């Protein structure tokens, strides 16, 4: 059975002690660093850009999974790659030329991810699914950490898994928003391959133990 990946979201980390928080993830069982880039235009919040990402890259010993919640992401793909992104995820809603942007990401050597807002149907990916390395299913409206999980994500994940299997796509399914110990197992069961966890990890009394617990779940059904 394929083991799922866990990507703690640094959005919920203490940025005054960023090096310690990165260290915690380095020595934990987590697989990736999830880095949320927001521009105040695609989403109503602003986080960080290249400069902070480069600093994270210098300390991180695991891949950087960079979630671009920005308009016109195609303008910045190469710069985010240079800053250290291993996976670059753009929003389908922000890309009028999604097919081109996916290939642009791959050509600069990163893995290409596409994120879908909660209202965006899986069918939007029908003609590009075989080119995608990762689909990020947003289980909250993007922009903030600590929001409530939207349950429609479960049937949506199942539907996406069917599309991925029937099209022979290598894409992993990542779930982002409101993920924690209460829903991790049902998400894996629905077909999730990567769980992003912000406040449930960094807000926990013992983040390392929570990471261990989130990694310990298993889907009972093998895809
Ligand atoms: C939300 C971000 C998420 C966020 C998740 O727009 O894309 O990655 O950090 O945070 P939690 O896990 O607290 O919902
Ligand atoms: Zn994210």
């Amino acid at each position: 059975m394929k083991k799922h990946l866990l990507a703690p979201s640094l959005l919920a980390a203490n940025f005054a002690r960023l090096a310690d928080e990165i260290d915690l993830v380095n020595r934990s069982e987590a697989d990736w660093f999830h880095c949320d880039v927001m521009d105040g235009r695609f989403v109503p919040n602003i986080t960080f850009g290249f400069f902070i990402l480069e600093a994270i890259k210098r300390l991180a010993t695991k891949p950087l999974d960079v979630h671009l919640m920005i308009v016109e992401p195609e303008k910045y793909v190469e710069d985010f790659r240079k800053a250290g992104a291993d996976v670059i995820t753009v929003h389908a809603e922000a890309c009028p030329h999604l097919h081109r942007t996916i290939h642009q990401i791959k050509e600069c050597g990163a893995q290409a991810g596409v994120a879908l807002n909660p209202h965006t149907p899986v069918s939007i990916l029908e003609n590009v699914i075989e080119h995608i390395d990762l689909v990020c299913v947003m289980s909250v409206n993007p922009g903030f950490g600590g929001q409530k999980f939207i349950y429609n994500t479960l049937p949506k994940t199942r539907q996406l898994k069917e599309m991925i299997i029937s099209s022979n796509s290598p894409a992993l399914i990542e779930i982002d928003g409101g993920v924690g110990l209460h829903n991790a197992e049902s998400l894996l069961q629905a077909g999730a391959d990567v769980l992003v966890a912000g406040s449930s990890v960094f807000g926990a009394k013992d983040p390392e133990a929570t990471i261990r617990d989130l990694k310990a779940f298993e889907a009972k059904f093998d895809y």
Side-chain angles (χ1 to χ4, degrees):
M1 183 178 291
K2 206 172 83 197
K3 192 71 196 155
H4 66 281
L5 305 178
L6 184 71
S9 170
L10 287 176
L11 188 63
N14 180 347
F15 270 66
R17 296 192 299 105
L18 190 54
D20 296 339
E21 302 281 62
I22 292 171
D23 238 23
L24 183 156
V25 177
N26 280 343
R27 64 173 183 263
S28 77
E29 288 179 31
D31 301 278
W32 292 349
F33 285 85
H34 186 81
C35 305
D36 289 303
V37 177
M38 304 186 190
D39 65 352
R41 293 189 61 210
F42 182 69
V43 288
N45 194 8
I46 300 179
T47 55
F48 53 81
F50 315 119
F51 188 69
I52 298 286
L53 199 71
E54 276 166 15
I56 296 169
K57 187 67 176 181
R58 282 198 290 275
L59 300 172
T61 58
K62 297 173 180 181
L64 303 191
D65 170 33
V66 178
H67 179 190
L68 298 182
M69 284 160 274
I70 63 176
V71 299
E72 301 180 332
E74 65 280 358
K75 285 189 179 168
Y76 306 102
V77 161
E78 286 77 14
D79 290 327
F80 277 109
R81 174 65 180 154
K82 273 188 214 130
D86 296 284
V87 181
I88 298 179
T89 297
V90 294
H91 267 263
E93 304 84 4
C95 294
H97 307 288
L98 186 58
H99 181 277
R100 178 187 287 152
T101 308
I102 290 165
H103 287 284
Q104 184 190 356
I105 296 171
K106 291 175 121 175
E107 271 155 31
C108 71
Q111 305 234 65
V114 178
L116 301 180
N117 277 340
H119 76 279
T120 304
V122 159
S123 59
I124 201 173
L125 299 178
E126 247 162 36
N127 295 308
V128 286
I129 192 70
E130 66 266 37
H131 307 293
I132 302 177
D133 298 302
L134 177 135
V135 179
C136 175
V137 179
M138 290 306 301
S139 38
V140 298
N141 285 293
F144 303 93
Q147 301 182 79
K148 201 164 164 271
F149 179 81
I150 297 171
Y151 270 89
N152 175 44
T153 306
L154 286 166
K156 193 171 177 178
T157 302
R158 278 184 220 113
Q159 200 191 341
L160 177 60
K161 195 71 176 185
E162 272 171 31
M163 185 197 278
I164 287 173
I165 291 171
S166 65
S167 59
N168 247 328
S169 162
L172 298 177
I173 301 181
E174 176 177 72
I175 312 293
D176 187 8
V179 174
L181 296 169
H182 63 293
N183 56 12
E185 199 168 12
S186 5
L187 287 167
L188 297 172
Q189 195 60 30
D193 304 290
V194 186
L195 300 178
V196 173
S199 36
S200 65
V201 164
F202 290 102
K205 260 208 184 97
D206 186 343
E208 257 189 277
T210 306
I211 289 172
R212 202 177 312 126
D213 293 345
L214 284 166
K215 279 290 286 185
F217 287 113
E218 269 178 20
K220 289 183 201 88
F221 178 66
D222 199 0
Y223 286 98

